[in-house]
């Protein structure tokens, strides 16, 4: 109980809770560094919670809280930050521990995925390179296994569509994909996709492509001009058949009639 008592009186002389809005364009880590830099010393955040788009941080004392309040309106990652001192702190923990733990975890996951996208998107060319994700340190740190692969791709694409809606080029090369269930929403997320690489995966059947074409999707890739399938079992098997080259092109064109370049050949 002494721990609870000290918590109760902490707001007078001790820690203070501050809410932050407008931070979503960056990551939690980049925000912490930004704030340390702006106030000229470490903020020493003791605790972080999330509720919707708002981040709640606990800082060691009201002096630091006041320094943060003075930063209200400053631009960070394309948005203006706003800070509020919570004289009646929002309580996290016991009552809604499960729910807050989940939203905290999902906010941290979102944070990591934003960081991933920032390292892999190229705004000049409107492209996103999601190749070899299994070797990416951010993905490794999340500890995703192959059962969660589809979920992970869906989460990455949903988030990318909010941040980079104008993408025209995406690569999923070298991901060991056996099916495309995780990226089936590609046409919905990015209606303007023109170039797609599925190079060096484990796709063994042309039917796997149906979820991106009008055969199996209500939002197919209807502007697709370039597709790279080289390095998949289905491609190698098809090209081994008599007249394989012609039937290979035909199977792709049946699904994507707008194609102009296949495996880097017109």
């Amino acid at each position: 109980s002494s721990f609870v008592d000290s918590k109760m009186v902490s707001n007078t002389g001790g820690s203070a809770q501050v809410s932050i809005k407008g931070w979503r364009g960056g990551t939690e880590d980049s925000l912490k560094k930004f704030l340390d830099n702006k106030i000229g010393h470490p903020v020493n955040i003791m605790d972080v919670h999330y509720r919707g788009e708002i981040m709640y941080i606990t800082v060691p004392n009201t002096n630091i809280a006041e320094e943060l309040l003075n930063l209200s309106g400053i631009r960070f990652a394309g948005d203006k930050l706003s800070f509020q001192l919570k004289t009646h702190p929002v309580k996290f923990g016991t009552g809604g521990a499960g729910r807050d733990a989940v939203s905290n975890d999902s906010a941290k996951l979102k944070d990591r995925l934003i960081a991933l996208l920032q390292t892999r998107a190229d705004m000049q060319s409107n492209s996103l390179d999601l190749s070899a994700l299994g070797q990416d340190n951010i993905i490794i740190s999340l500890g995703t296994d192959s059962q969660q692969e589809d979920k992970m791709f869906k989460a990455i694409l949903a988030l990318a569509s909010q941040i980079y809606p104008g993408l025209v080029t995406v690569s999923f090369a070298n991901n060991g994909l056996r099916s495309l269930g995780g990226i089936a929403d590609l046409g919905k997320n990015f209606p303007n996709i023109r170039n797609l690489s599925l190079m060096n995966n484990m796709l063994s059947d042309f039917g796997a492509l149906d979820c991106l074409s009008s055969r199996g999707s209500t939002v197919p890739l209807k502007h697709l001009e370039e597709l790279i399938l080289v390095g998949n079992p289905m491609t190698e098997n098809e090209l081994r058949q008599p007249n394989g080259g012609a039937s290979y092109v035909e199977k792709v064109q049946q699904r994507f009639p707008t194609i102009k370049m296949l495996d880097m050949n017109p």
Side-chain angles (χ1 to χ4, degrees):
S1 72
S2 60
F3 173 72
V4 175
D5 295 342
S6 70
K7 275 285 202 206
M8 296 296 280
V9 297
S10 67
N11 256 31
T12 52
S15 63
Q17 189 186 71
V18 176
S19 68
I20 309 175
K21 286 183 189 169
W23 65 279
R24 275 295 190 200
T27 65
E28 187 186 306
D29 284 346
S30 63
L31 177 65
K32 284 178 182 171
K33 286 183 186 131
F34 177 80
L35 297 178
D36 289 351
N37 185 28
K38 288 296 168 195
I39 67 170
H41 59 83
V43 177
N44 291 326
I45 295 171
M46 301 153 65
D47 201 5
V48 182
H49 289 283
Y50 302 87
R51 210 162 259 179
E53 295 290 296
I54 304 174
M55 181 194 289
Y56 293 86
I57 62 171
T58 305
V59 295
N61 55 59
T62 47
N63 292 347
I64 291 179
E66 294 293 343
E67 288 180 292
L68 292 175
L69 298 191
N70 290 334
L71 295 178
S72 269
I74 198 167
R75 291 196 77 78
F76 167 74
D79 210 344
K80 282 185 181 172
L81 294 176
S82 69
F83 299 87
Q84 268 191 335
L85 177 62
K86 295 291 164 193
T87 43
H88 300 292
V90 179
K91 288 192 170 43
F92 295 94
T94 50
R99 194 176 64 250
D100 285 318
V102 169
S103 68
N104 200 358
D105 278 354
S106 65
K108 281 208 165 125
L109 170 66
K110 188 173 176 182
D111 232 32
R112 296 241 176 109
L113 294 184
I114 289 172
L116 173 84
L117 290 170
Q118 285 170 342
T119 63
R120 286 171 169 266
D122 176 6
M123 292 328 296
Q124 307 269 208
S125 58
N126 274 327
S127 63
L128 180 62
D129 178 5
L130 293 176
S131 62
L133 283 185
Q135 291 155 33
D136 191 290
N137 287 334
I138 293 175
I139 296 296
I140 292 167
S141 74
L142 292 172
T144 41
D145 58 29
S146 53
Q147 267 76 50
Q148 297 167 298
E149 197 174 74
D150 281 4
K151 270 189 185 163
M152 184 192 65
F153 273 112
K154 281 181 177 159
I156 290 171
L157 292 178
L159 193 55
S161 70
Q162 294 167 25
I163 308 173
Y164 310 113
L167 288 181
V168 294
T169 301
V170 185
S171 171
F172 296 99
N174 301 302
N175 277 307
L177 295 173
R178 291 172 187 280
S179 83
L180 299 178
I183 67 168
D185 288 339
L186 200 57
K188 185 172 117 190
N189 291 325
F190 306 106
N192 300 316
I193 289 283
R194 283 178 170 66
N195 316 295
L196 173 65
S197 174
L198 296 167
M199 187 163 100
N200 296 340
N201 279 293
M202 305 289 285
L203 302 171
S204 56
D205 186 327
F206 283 89
L209 299 172
D210 290 352
C211 67
L212 299 177
S213 79
S214 52
R215 288 189 168 196
S217 172
T218 51
V219 276
L221 301 179
K222 50 178 187 281
H223 302 294
L224 193 66
E225 294 175 1
E226 181 180 10
L227 179 63
I228 303 178
L229 293 172
V230 72
N232 282 284
M234 65 182 187
T235 306
E236 315 307 317
N237 293 342
E238 191 66 30
L239 291 174
R240 267 193 227 109
Q241 307 299 322
N243 197 23
S247 68
Y248 171 48
V249 171
E250 193 183 324
K251 284 183 177 179
V252 173
Q253 281 181 332
Q254 284 167 355
R255 291 167 171 87
F256 306 107
T258 50
I259 279 287
K260 294 177 182 169
M261 290 271 283
L262 178 59
D263 297 338
M264 296 167 277
N265 296 308

